[in-house]
Amino acid sequence: DAGVIQSPRHEVTEMGQEVTLRCKPISGHDYLFWYRQTMMRGLELLIYFNNNVPIDDSGMPEDRFSAKMPNASFSTLKIQPSEPRDSAVYFCASKLPRGNTEAFFGQGTRLTVV
Amino acid sequence: QQPVQSPQAVILREGEDAVINCSSSKALYSVHWYRQKHGEAPVFLMILLKGGEQKGHEKISASFNEKKQQSSLYLTASQLSYSGTYFCGTLTGGSQGNLIFGKGTKLSVKP
């Protein structure tokens, strides 16, 4: 398997624009996570899905953030409208449901909002 | 609740040892350790489960004290390649989804 695939790798956008980040999890992984990484806060869990269903979105910072998983092989994280403080690296990760299994991370999307 | 890691940063010479600690205010089901190099994604090192099961790296060891809700990562005879930021992630209860990470410990190994 190619691993968790995220796109784009880098995104530069102007404040107020809509941004969509994409993720393809590893086939067969029931859990999908979205994390945001900044120097100040480290790796923050934004939301996670189990079998395409959002289970906990309490980490989503504001209503400007939304995430979907229309099928087992695709998820999006959308920010609308974007603000400079959203600048960060966003990671997607996926995991099997068993307790002794690790999460596999994608390479991340570096978002810069100017 | 985010686990707390200590120290925040450590500098070593090659061959020296280091211990990174992770503690939680909640009862833990499992502890996950990852290492991240600059500009890269976190990479899995080890899982420790309640009850003693472990899975992970051959050259790095860890402990898990369920009663104290703490885990420690032991890096012995450090190599230059050990440099990076180490994160502990915790799962509480039976959930496999709420994988919450600490803020990380930055390890620098010098020649």
Side-chain angles (χ1 to χ4, degrees):
Chain A
D1 202 315
V4 177
I5 299 173
Q6 291 186 245
S7 63
R9 292 292 309 277
H10 302 273
E11 177 81 35
V12 180
T13 191
E14 291 185 348
M15 183 174 63
Q17 297 296 306
E18 176 180 297
V19 175
T20 299
L21 312 181
R22 297 171 176 80
C23 175
K24 176 179 166 52
I26 293 173
S27 176
H29 283 195
D30 291 349
Y31 281 85
L32 183 138
F33 311 84
W34 282 100
Y35 290 93
R36 178 173 68 176
Q37 186 173 35
T38 60
M39 289 293 293
M40 289 296 294
R41 294 173 176 263
L43 269 170
E44 294 177 273
L45 177 62
L46 300 178
I47 184 172
Y48 75 90
F49 295 82
N50 182 18
N51 289 320
N52 313 337
V53 177
I55 303 301
D56 187 347
D57 65 354
S58 59
M60 297 285 259
E62 298 171 35
D63 291 345
R64 298 184 296 107
F65 286 70
S66 62
K68 293 182 180 179
M69 193 165 185
N71 57 62
S73 59
F74 184 65
S75 178
T76 59
L77 179 67
K78 184 179 294 186
I79 309 172
Q80 166 64 16
S82 57
E83 296 183 4
R85 59 195 168 116
D86 301 331
S87 297
V89 180
Y90 291 81
F91 285 103
C92 173
S94 69
K95 182 184 181 299
L96 289 168
R98 296 191 302 273
N100 63 346
T101 56
E102 66 268 35
F104 292 83
F105 283 78
Q107 289 302 303
T109 295
R110 180 173 294 277
L111 173 65
T112 304
V113 184
V114 298
Chain B
Q1 194 78 10
Q2 189 176 39
V4 177
Q5 288 186 234
S6 63
Q8 289 186 317
V10 59
I11 299 174
L12 297 175
R13 294 285 181 189
E14 264 188 300
E16 292 181 337
D17 301 339
V19 179
I20 301 172
N21 300 303
C22 175
S23 64
S24 173
S25 60
K26 289 191 171 184
L28 297 176
Y29 173 76
S30 63
V31 179
H32 300 225
W33 286 97
Y34 286 76
R35 178 171 61 208
Q36 184 181 32
K37 296 196 178 273
H38 183 69
E40 299 181 5
V43 173
F44 168 74
L45 292 176
M46 179 166 287
I47 286 177
L48 302 103
L49 273 70
K50 186 177 178 179
E53 182 182 351
Q54 293 188 17
K55 170 187 169 184
H57 206 282
E58 290 181 359
K59 295 187 178 180
I60 294 175
S61 63
S63 64
F64 181 18
N65 187 324
E66 297 170 29
K67 287 185 179 179
K68 291 186 177 180
Q69 296 155 197
Q70 295 175 345
S71 177
S72 294
L73 188 71
Y74 304 97
L75 303 163
T76 56
S78 59
Q79 307 169 14
L80 294 176
S81 62
Y82 285 10
S83 293
T85 300
Y86 290 76
F87 293 95
C88 73
T90 56
L91 283 173
T92 57
S95 168
Q96 291 301 311
N98 247 322
L99 183 56
I100 308 292
F101 287 91
K103 290 190 176 181
T105 296
K106 185 173 182 179
L107 177 73
S108 300
V109 181
K110 309 290 186 184

